[in-house]
Amino acid sequence: MQRIIFGEDHDAFRASAKEYCDRSLVPRMEQFLEEKTIDRAAWLEAGKQGFLGLDVPEEYGGSSVGDYRFNAVFAEEVSKVSASLSSCFGIHFDCAAPYLVDLGTEEQKQRWLPRFCSGELIAAIGMTEPSGGSDLAALKTTAKKTDGGWVLNGSKTFITNGDMADLVITAARTDPAKGAKGITLFAVEAGMDGFARGRKLDKVGQTESGTSELFFEDVFVPDENVLGEVDRGFIHMMERLAQERVGAAVSNIAHAVQILDETIEYVKSRKAFGQSVGSFQYNKFLLAELVTKAEVTQAYVDNAIVAHDEDRLSAVDAAKAKWWSAHVQNEILDACVQLHGGYGYMNEYRVARAWRDARVTKIWAGSNEIMKELIGRDLGL
């Protein structure tokens, strides 16, 4: 079914995004896999092309397009190359940007955003902790007030871009007595005394993304690095989760559809018992089901994109888009592996990598179980 949410400007932007991917990402995928990270050159080129500052006002180096559909287009094109790349760039330009733009002071914006847009400064978000998972209100990292700033102690884990981030938006507990209402956000910068990166985590999939642990040992963070209001960090995070979740949904379905399209071409050419694998009725029916599920899911996600662009996407609808797209993505990719037969289990085939990479989408940005809990509560249950 033809998608109807994009216009000529979006199509032109998509062509530019695809060109960037084809020129700067695709030829270097083996390098990224080997090094388990995306190097600075790829970030700088993305910044040069204007892809990292879509939500940032022009006076700070961005383009301030004011249209979330452009974010979706870039996320889709990168997702077609690799889910890992989409997660790394997405955390930066789609998740971190709203925190800096919406909550940052004028001085903070001038200090960070120009380099954020150029790719010279890479951002990460430090929320998840070893014992917390999806329960952001239970975080244990603390920040105690001192003269001129705060002293942070604690740790974070599963942090995308954590291996190379220059600025980490870090959630810490500033008033233990207030529970969720006693959390504050801090911009922790690389090089601060006591701030250390742990090992680069050995993940099942998404090898190219530099995911790591972060440690804070008596890290002094000056008052001018407090992001937003003191003790309102949890609210700040909740207000921006809808964008993170719709962004995840955009990437999930784009990633799945790309591999599904490649699989359809594969089963047309792959022969067994004297005919193409795709011509067997079971496989034909299976692919008909998968294509239909993909298109129906895409229609819902497109509706969520437009709703978010018009500032009317609810947290519950964002949760629906996130969990369902992750579910369908994994169902599609598991079937694609099966349709490739033994080759689908070989790392040299994109379908195998995609299958591994997708598994985490049912866990991060709030696990699918948490998404269903939110939806269930909204039903009055």
Side-chain angles (χ1 to χ4, degrees):
M1 180 175 289
Q2 182 179 359
R3 300 173 70 187
I4 60 174
I5 67 170
F6 300 116
E8 292 182 2
D9 289 344
H10 303 105
D11 293 339
F13 181 74
R14 186 182 297 278
S16 297
K18 185 179 186 305
E19 182 181 355
Y20 162 73
C21 291
D22 290 343
R23 183 182 65 250
S24 300
L25 300 181
V26 173
R28 305 177 64 199
M29 284 304 298
E30 293 303 320
Q31 173 195 335
F32 297 153
L33 283 164
E34 182 178 344
E35 297 177 354
K36 296 184 178 180
T37 194
I38 309 168
D39 69 13
R40 294 269 174 175
W43 285 92
L44 292 172
E45 184 60 27
K48 182 179 179 181
Q49 298 299 322
F51 297 127
L52 303 181
L54 297 175
D55 283 340
V56 178
E58 293 181 15
E59 59 263 37
Y60 306 114
S63 53
S64 191
V65 294
D67 183 344
Y68 187 74
R69 289 173 292 180
F70 286 97
N71 293 45
V73 166
F74 184 59
E76 287 178 355
E77 291 307 309
V78 176
S79 296
K80 292 175 184 178
V81 180
S82 160
S84 297
L85 303 187
S86 179
S87 66
C88 290
F89 284 121
I91 285 291
H92 180 90
F93 89 94
D94 200 39
C95 295
Y99 285 93
L100 299 177
V101 173
D102 298 344
L103 304 176
T105 64
E106 181 62 26
E107 185 275 333
Q108 288 173 339
K109 293 176 185 178
Q110 292 182 3
R111 182 159 37 123
W112 296 320
L113 287 178
R115 291 183 296 132
F116 177 96
C117 295
S118 69
E120 297 171 271
L121 180 150
I122 298 172
I125 297 181
M127 295 183 185
T128 306
E129 296 189 349
S131 61
S134 296
D135 188 3
L136 297 179
L139 60 84
K140 296 181 179 179
T141 297
T142 61
K144 294 184 178 180
K145 191 71 179 76
T146 189
D147 291 341
W150 302 76
V151 177
L152 268 64
N153 281 283
S155 63
K156 304 290 179 178
T157 194
F158 309 141
I159 306 304
T160 301
N161 294 342
D163 66 323
M164 63 191 309
D166 304 290
L167 185 142
V168 181
I169 298 170
T170 306
R173 189 170 298 284
T174 43
D175 191 339
K178 292 183 179 179
K181 295 181 179 180
I183 294 172
T184 302
L185 300 180
F186 298 88
V188 177
E189 299 181 73
M192 286 183 167
D193 290 342
F195 171 47
R197 309 174 200 275
R199 62 195 175 96
K200 192 179 294 185
L201 298 173
D202 184 16
K203 307 186 299 296
V204 171
Q206 301 218 8
T207 307
E208 311 96 300
S209 66
T211 307
S212 70
E213 301 166 311
L214 301 177
F215 299 99
F216 310 91
E217 185 175 354
D218 293 332
V219 180
F220 175 75
V221 181
D223 285 328
E224 53 265 32
N225 278 37
V226 173
L227 197 58
E229 298 180 45
V230 172
D231 290 341
R232 286 183 59 85
F234 186 76
I235 294 173
H236 293 327
M237 289 187 287
M238 293 301 101
E239 290 173 342
R240 284 152 190 85
L241 277 178
Q243 178 151 324
E244 179 181 355
R245 286 168 180 165
V246 72
V250 167
S251 297
N252 292 347
I253 193 62
H255 180 238
V257 167
Q258 177 64 30
I259 302 302
L260 179 57
D261 288 345
E262 294 177 14
T263 299
I264 291 171
E265 293 306 310
Y266 177 82
V267 299
K268 287 179 181 177
S269 60
R270 179 72 174 173
K271 303 293 184 181
F273 304 103
Q275 62 188 99
S276 67
V277 172
S279 67
F280 292 111
Q281 186 183 68
Y282 177 85
N283 292 340
K284 189 185 301 181
F285 281 16
L286 173 61
L287 287 164
E289 293 172 6
L290 296 178
V291 167
T292 303
K293 280 190 177 181
E295 292 190 6
V296 171
T297 303
Q298 186 70 75
Y300 188 89
V301 172
D302 282 355
N303 196 19
I305 292 169
V306 173
H308 183 60
D309 184 53
E310 296 176 352
D311 197 27
R312 55 180 179 81
L313 180 66
S314 70
V316 172
D317 286 343
K320 293 173 184 175
K322 186 272 171 187
W323 93 261
W324 180 252
S325 64
H327 171 78
V328 170
Q329 175 192 27
N330 277 268
E331 182 180 2
I332 287 173
L333 293 176
D334 190 72
C336 288
V337 167
Q338 191 73 18
L339 287 164
H340 275 76
Y343 292 107
Y345 206 63
M346 300 296 107
N347 281 326
E348 64 190 275
Y349 276 71
R350 269 169 54 83
V351 66
R353 296 177 184 176
W355 175 62
R356 293 200 321 265
D357 291 349
R359 184 57 183 83
V360 73
T361 66
K362 295 198 288 186
I363 299 173
W364 68 13
S367 69
N368 279 10
E369 291 76 15
I370 295 295
M371 298 302 97
K372 294 175 187 179
E373 178 70 20
L374 295 174
I375 298 164
R377 290 178 188 174
D378 187 62
L379 299 175
L381 302 174

